[in-house]
Amino acid sequence: KRARKKKKKKNQNRTGKRIKKLLLIILILIIGIQGYKKDNLIRELQSYIKIPDFSKIKKIFFKEKENYIVLYVSDGDTISVKRTVNGEKTGEVIKIRLFGIDAPEISQDYGYESKVALMNMVKGENIEVESRGKDKYGRLLGIIYHERKNINEEMVKQGYAWWYEEYDKDNERMKKYEENARNSRIGLFSRKGYVAPWEFRKRKLKK
């Protein structure tokens, strides 16, 4: 009888581990579909594969958002903010570069319109920011949300910015938004001879 109980418990443990592994695989696939880089996630999760620690996995998959208020909009992909706690501003001014998009430079055609579009969406507003690390200039990279709307996506969707494929390669949703904006000839794509911001910067350096 004791041996039977022991065997039953062992089988339950095995089943539990299999279910955990299966859930982990499903999560990786879901995040992959949403445009995240699976290889990076897998590397982060390697140490949890045998017996997943779901409190740590949760932090990786469901990135916490922090609250800020937008003080200034530099251009169509850069804002200055202050953190808010219980509705009160706190800390120093932080510059945020919107992750996965690239808006026309201010000195570029449609640069001003892009800046105004972002101002209309978020200036003076409370936003949530999902951090994606920092860029080479020390700016916080982030996906910003206002009233549950992904503003990075809105900028591309409405033709005010490009999908920055170099830094967000697997984002099929952003790719589709840019294709739709091009095909519909809206925003910057309504102009003839439009130039991608990264190409514009390269040409400027050569002069």
Side-chain angles (χ1 to χ4, degrees):
K1 195 176 180 181
R2 195 179 291 172
R4 205 179 295 161
K5 278 186 179 178
K6 199 174 180 181
K7 191 178 178 182
K8 191 179 177 182
K9 194 175 181 181
K10 196 175 181 182
N11 288 336
Q12 284 175 342
N13 288 341
R14 279 180 186 168
T15 305
K17 285 178 186 179
R18 282 173 189 161
I19 290 167
K20 284 179 180 179
K21 283 186 182 181
L22 181 61
L23 287 170
L24 185 58
I25 290 163
I26 291 166
L27 282 170
I28 289 169
L29 289 172
I30 290 168
I31 297 299
I33 290 163
Q34 289 177 347
Y36 292 89
K37 294 176 182 174
K38 291 192 285 294
D39 56 341
N40 291 343
L41 283 166
I42 290 163
R43 274 198 295 273
E44 285 187 78
L45 292 166
Q46 272 177 342
S47 58
Y48 314 127
I49 292 293
K50 288 183 182 176
I51 304 174
D53 181 338
F54 279 90
S55 64
K56 290 179 182 177
I57 288 167
K58 189 179 175 184
K59 284 179 185 177
I60 294 168
F61 280 100
F62 306 102
K63 296 179 183 294
E64 291 180 6
K65 300 185 189 83
E66 293 187 320
N67 297 313
Y68 296 86
I69 187 164
V70 180
L71 306 175
Y72 183 74
V73 175
S74 305
D75 54 31
D77 57 35
T78 311
I79 59 175
S80 295
V81 301
K82 263 196 171 187
R83 187 177 276 110
T84 57
V85 178
N86 299 323
E88 297 292 323
K89 295 178 199 170
T90 183
E92 59 186 20
V93 175
I94 300 166
K95 194 163 269 194
I96 297 177
R97 172 70 164 77
L98 275 63
F99 176 79
I101 75 169
D102 201 4
E105 300 293 325
I106 286 294
S107 56
Q108 189 180 352
D109 186 32
Y110 218 78
Y112 178 72
E113 289 89 337
S114 177
K115 174 181 175 175
V116 169
L118 187 57
M119 284 173 68
N120 290 338
M121 290 183 201
V122 299
K123 191 177 178 187
E125 301 289 348
N126 289 301
I127 62 168
E128 288 183 317
V129 179
E130 186 182 296
S131 173
R132 289 303 179 86
K134 290 190 175 182
D135 66 8
K136 61 183 178 181
Y137 305 108
R139 297 176 298 186
L140 179 68
L141 291 168
I143 298 171
I144 67 173
Y145 297 85
H146 175 54
E147 294 179 346
R148 297 185 180 181
K149 194 176 281 185
N150 184 321
I151 301 300
N152 302 44
E153 289 183 353
E154 286 301 311
M155 288 296 287
V156 174
K157 202 186 284 186
Q158 295 181 33
Y160 291 116
W162 300 69
W163 165 46
Y164 212 168
E165 184 180 359
E166 184 182 351
Y167 297 100
D168 195 23
K169 292 184 191 299
D170 302 323
N171 198 330
E172 289 297 319
R173 193 162 55 214
M174 280 292 217
K175 182 182 179 182
K176 192 69 180 172
Y177 290 152
E178 188 186 296
E179 285 173 357
N180 289 343
R182 282 172 183 271
N183 294 336
S184 304
R185 293 180 181 177
I186 58 172
L188 65 93
F189 300 110
S190 65
R191 306 276 177 94
K192 287 183 179 179
Y194 52 79
V195 178
W198 52 89
E199 289 298 333
F200 179 82
R201 291 191 290 268
K202 277 180 193 174
R203 291 178 193 180
K204 207 172 176 184
L205 285 170
K206 286 176 183 178
K207 287 180 182 179

